[in-house]
């Protein structure tokens, strides 16, 4: 018997992002002008400027137009409203923190939902928590965009085969225990909710303690429920988790890697600023080191995991930013196509669209009590099923097809939808239909 | 929030077997005569006759020739020796139990290793435990056949995505905890060893207690080590396992399904007689019920799991026999091609082959002290690399290619092999090379 070093697989976000990047390039080729993203920088933080520069470079490298608009923070709200009303602006991104207080959330709400490439508008967030994946149920033609970083994390977990494609959509994480260290409103908590809605048993950890997000034994509940776990510590969660995702900002917090279950999958997003998905300093450094032939995975780069993680984990993903920005560019593509379609409509078509508008869903969720203060130029993005004309339908359909995975997930998860396209795409005859326990026990 | 019934996915072996069946059909089409399997029935058990009939029917349905030879049990050894020496017999199968004592194992050893389609010959078994996957290391041209039912189980776990293809060959079960209830010499113990060699943490349970098979933290050991776990109960194992495989013969033993972790994958092989992989009564009954439109998954069919398993498991596989027999037919194909190749050689070529013969590996394993009492007609099956002529090489290569998965696994697992074809088939550029911890910590 020979002793070998551990052989944790380190998977870089740049490689995970390649498929998404190709999808974005295909979608872009179908548009007649470059989608235009405007970034707002209203602070003097050199790090924020670095992220802004990286955003711009990535946009341009991928064939998009990018403008950085700098202003004083008291001028920011007005500047965002101008961009909301400007037809030459397809997507809006704000570099946070601005006031570094609750006022930042108010700014977030000013961004037009239909230009919100980060997917952080209140209605979008609210829909996500309730596992409602369309803006216009029960018509279900208008996708409710998911927040960038949580969706990027899902793409990463799919790439790593943590989602089991043998199971039906909406259940593919069943049997997985996942610890998420970070419960921010923009990443940690929405991520825990999404993973639990897909079937995982999620342990959400922050300084206030542990919460469990799950759909209950046998996934009996259609959406997740949250339980306080006052008796559990982070170490308890690590010991039972197949996947550990950590994103505590800064370089002080470290996951006690010796408590991680052997063979777990570990994902770090601590170098990303949690209020913006675009901090990729770590990855840039890694890439530069690779180019210079001096890649040294021991450098900390503000990771939540020390190098010893590789003595315990089967797979380690040191950063996620390059996947996140591809999700953002894909959202920008969808926003652009939807807006172009909308602008091509006649006044009577606009009325038809307006009649489709649905009121916000009633919810006890705290976020639901906060009103969307944005001033959208349109009431509803699109409902091709009732429109008398189908201008640019090809482009819109193409873009929607490119997000087919999300759509399938949404339909499967939505209790109001009768049609289940996910079942139709299972390979015919290879996997039996699930037998409901109720019937089996009869 | 709506309450739903549980929705465990029931996966039937017949569907899992389809790909294997197609591979077998392709291989068969390349031979100029039907491979001939001889089954020996030396008991009066009606159930054994039913299995024998089913074996024959399956062989013939799949284009193979099958002969059932019945004899008194005291005549069996001589009958097997005759078949060993008979060039018209390509594969030999014995229906156990014969004496229902340790003498049955002696009978098992009489079967020529090169006609042993079940893969139970001592040298094959011994190689498997030591994670040696070739008969002729370091040349590594002659595959050491794996036992049928354990290999079928691996095929099932691959189908269910329990093997993670993101990880390298030989490590694809890393992070998985698997309970195997059954520690027989022909199924349970070899299965535990194979799964542990592929990276799993395996809890082997039988009436004598619990043993853990694993390669240690970070898969540091090249082959598994076995630890007694006197303080653990079966319930302890179930609570922490992602996969539960149970094959206790008869209908008395039941897994306490309420102790199974929610979302676990459960596989039953209790209806198979553990000394023969061919008991498929359960599956036949299921199939008949399906044909008659009266499929009722609640019927017990000697399963180790009660119907309530579906309130806990994400996936349930009620039987495995139809996968096992496809593995057996594939072994029969390989035996046939190897034997034909060998018979086509000249005496000088035979000498060259003989010079390649390697002594048995030294081992402390108990099974190694038992001598192979078979009288093989050839000393070595094949080593195309040193042979002056390549008669029928195409057929042999084709068959070997069809077992490419196993070969890759073997090469990856074999510490003596420098070449690692498994790495070459990873999608280039999508997954980084593993970074050894030793280097990273430097």
């Amino acid at each position: 018997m020979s002793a070998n070093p551990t052989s944790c697989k380190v998977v870089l976000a740049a490689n995970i992002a390649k498929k998404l990047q190709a999808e974005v390039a295909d979608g872009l080729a179908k548009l007649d002008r470059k989608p235009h993203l405007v970034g707002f920088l209203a602070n003097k933080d050199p790090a924020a400027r670095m992220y802004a520069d990286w955003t711009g470079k990535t946009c341009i490298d991928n064939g998009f137009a990018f403008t950085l608009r700098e202003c004083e923070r008291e001028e920011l709200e007005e500047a965002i409203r101008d961009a909301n009303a400007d037809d030459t602006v397809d997507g809006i991104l704000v570099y946070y923190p601005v006031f570094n207080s609750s006022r930042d959330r108010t700014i977030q709400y000013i961004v037009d939902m239909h230009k919100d490439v980060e997917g952080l508008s209140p209605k979008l967030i609210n829909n996500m928590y309730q596992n409602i994946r369309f803006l216009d149920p029960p018509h279900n033609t208008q996708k409710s965009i998911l927040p960038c970083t949580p969706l990027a994390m899902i793409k990463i977990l799919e790439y790593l085969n943590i989602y089991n494609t043998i199971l039906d959509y909406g259940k593919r994480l069943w049997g997985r225990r996942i610890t998420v260290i970070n419960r921010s409103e923009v990443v940690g908590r929405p991520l825990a909710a999404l993973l639990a809605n897909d079937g995982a048993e999620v342990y959400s950890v922050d300084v206030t303690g542990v919460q469990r997000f799950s759909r209950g034994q046998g996934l009996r509940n259609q959406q997740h429920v949250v339980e306080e776990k006052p008796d559990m510590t982070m170490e308890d969660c690590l010991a039972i988790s197949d996947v550990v995702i950590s994103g505590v900002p800064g370089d002080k917090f470290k996951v006690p890697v010796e408590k991680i279950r052997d063979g777990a999958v570990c994902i770090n997003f601590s170098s990303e600023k949690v209020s913006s998905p675009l901090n990729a300093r770590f990855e840039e450094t890694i890439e530069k080191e690779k180019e210079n032939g001096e890649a040294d995975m021991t450098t900390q780069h503000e990771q939540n995991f020390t190098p010893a993680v590789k003595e315990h984990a089967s797979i380690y993903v040191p950063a996620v930013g390059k996947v996140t920005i591809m999700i953002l560019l894909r959202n920008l593509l969808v926003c652009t196509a939807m807006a172009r379609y909308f602008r091509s409509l006649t006044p009577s078509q606009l009325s038809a669209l307006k009649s489709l508008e649905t009121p916000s869903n009633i919810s006890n969720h705290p976020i639901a009590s906060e009103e969307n203060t944005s001033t959208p130029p349109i009431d509803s993005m699109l409902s091709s099923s009732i429109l008398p004309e189908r201008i640019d339908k090809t482009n819109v359909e193409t873009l929607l097809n490119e997000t087919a995975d999300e759509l399938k997930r949404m339909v499967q998860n939505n209790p109001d939808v009768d049609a289940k396209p996910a079942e139709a795409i299972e390979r015919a005859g290879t996997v039996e239909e699930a037998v409901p326990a109720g019937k089996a026990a009869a």
Side-chain angles (χ1 to χ4, degrees), chain A:
Chain A
M1 187 183 315
S2 61
N4 293 326
T6 59
S7 46
C8 173
K9 191 128 196 162
V10 177
V11 179
L12 295 190
N15 290 332
I16 303 173
K18 279 177 185 166
K19 183 167 163 253
L20 291 166
Q21 193 165 19
E23 285 175 17
V24 165
D26 286 349
L28 191 63
K30 297 183 179 75
L31 295 177
D32 54 10
R33 73 164 172 82
K34 292 181 177 182
H36 181 204
L37 179 65
V38 172
F40 287 97
L41 183 61
N43 68 47
K44 305 299 177 197
D45 181 359
R49 171 170 296 278
M50 207 173 90
Y51 314 146
D53 290 345
W54 182 73
T55 318
K57 182 175 181 304
T58 306
C59 273
I60 290 159
D61 287 351
N62 283 278
F64 291 78
F66 179 80
T67 306
L68 182 63
R69 295 189 182 163
E70 295 181 70
C71 62
E72 295 302 319
R73 60 190 192 176
E74 287 297 345
E75 298 166 0
L76 180 59
E77 294 189 13
E78 190 57 30
I80 292 173
R81 288 199 178 89
D82 288 347
N84 282 344
D86 182 351
D87 279 356
T88 70
V89 175
D90 299 299
I92 294 172
L93 184 63
V94 179
Y95 297 101
Y96 295 98
V98 177
F99 293 95
N100 212 5
S101 72
S102 61
R103 191 167 165 190
D104 281 3
R105 174 167 281 192
T106 310
I107 290 171
Q108 205 174 76
Y109 296 170
I110 294 171
V111 175
D112 177 359
M113 175 174 75
H114 305 291
K115 297 187 179 184
D116 178 13
V117 291
E118 290 196 89
L120 297 176
S121 291
K123 185 169 182 179
L124 301 178
I125 291 277
N126 193 21
N127 281 348
M128 184 214 64
Y129 278 115
Q130 294 183 90
N131 214 5
I132 294 168
R133 303 302 173 87
F134 290 90
L135 294 174
D136 59 343
H139 306 290
N140 295 341
T141 56
Q142 300 178 42
K143 182 179 164 184
S144 187
I145 286 173
L146 293 169
C148 277
T149 302
L151 183 54
M153 210 65 82
I154 285 171
K155 289 289 168 193
I156 290 167
L157 293 175
E158 287 179 343
Y159 182 90
L160 300 177
N161 296 327
I162 305 304
Y163 276 76
N164 188 346
T165 52
I166 280 282
L167 298 171
D168 291 333
Y169 274 98
K171 295 170 185 168
R172 293 186 165 176
L173 291 178
W174 194 8
R176 296 294 197 176
R177 284 193 183 128
I178 304 178
T179 291
V180 178
I181 307 172
N182 172 310
R183 205 187 296 141
S184 72
E185 285 302 302
V186 289
V187 183
R189 201 164 72 92
L191 176 61
L194 283 169
L195 299 177
N197 285 343
D198 278 344
E201 183 178 314
V202 182
Y203 292 88
S204 170
V205 179
D206 74 359
V207 288
T208 69
V210 175
Q211 292 183 334
R212 186 172 73 173
F213 291 55
S214 80
R215 285 171 54 190
Q217 189 205 316
L219 306 188
R220 280 204 175 69
N221 302 313
Q222 185 62 37
Q223 69 178 73
H224 70 278
V225 291
V226 181
E227 299 161 83
E228 299 288 346
K229 288 287 177 185
D231 297 334
M232 287 188 81
T233 65
M234 175 171 64
E235 285 74 9
D236 296 334
C237 301
L238 296 177
I240 60 172
S241 289
D242 311 296
V243 179
V244 179
I245 301 171
S246 186
V248 178
D251 56 5
K252 289 192 178 58
F253 172 79
K254 296 295 169 196
V255 175
V257 292
E258 71 282 2
K259 303 293 186 188
I260 292 172
R261 177 178 157 176
D262 191 63
V265 171
C266 296
I267 303 173
N268 171 72
F269 70 98
S270 78
S271 69
E272 339 297 329
K273 296 175 78 169
V274 290
S275 57
S276 166
L278 300 173
N279 179 341
R281 272 191 296 179
F282 169 77
E283 283 165 287
E284 284 208 313
T285 312
I286 286 279
E287 289 303 316
K288 278 180 192 155
E289 284 174 346
K290 280 181 74 180
E291 283 166 18
N292 300 336
E294 57 191 33
D296 177 4
M297 300 303 289
T298 60
T299 316
Q300 280 310 294
H301 304 293
E302 298 185 7
Q303 291 178 54
N304 281 181
F305 297 89
T306 61
V309 67
K310 291 191 284 292
E311 291 171 29
H312 302 270
S314 59
I315 297 172
Y316 180 51
V317 181
V320 306
K322 290 192 175 178
V323 178
T324 306
I325 198 164
M326 283 304 143
I327 298 290
L328 187 146
L329 291 182
R330 207 166 59 153
N331 286 348
L332 178 57
L333 269 183
V334 172
C335 289
T336 306
M338 291 291 189
R340 286 178 66 234
Y341 185 36
F342 185 81
R343 283 196 292 270
S344 70
L345 300 180
T346 64
S348 65
Q349 289 169 337
L350 277 176
S351 297
L353 263 184
K354 195 158 190 168
S355 71
L356 257 194
E357 190 184 359
T358 54
S360 287
N361 288 279
I362 295 157
S363 164
N364 292 323
H365 195 280
I367 217 167
S369 65
E370 304 179 278
E371 287 302 313
N372 182 345
T373 58
S374 69
T375 53
I378 53 174
D379 295 310
S380 189
M381 277 195 295
L382 167 73
S383 175
S384 60
S385 59
I386 57 99
L387 290 173
E389 293 176 38
R390 307 293 170 98
I391 307 145
D392 274 338
K393 188 163 180 294
T394 307
N395 280 349
V396 173
E397 282 187 343
T398 301
L399 286 163
L400 289 176
N401 284 340
E402 283 161 0
T403 58
D405 277 359
E406 276 73 9
L407 285 171
K408 282 172 205 143
R409 183 195 315 280
M410 290 161 203
V411 172
Q412 186 76 23
N413 280 345
N414 194 316
D416 299 326
V417 182
D418 289 321
K420 288 185 177 168
E423 290 180 8
I425 69 142
E426 292 286 348
R427 283 168 293 169
T430 56
V431 182
E432 279 59 49
E433 289 298 308
V435 178
K439 184 184 169 194

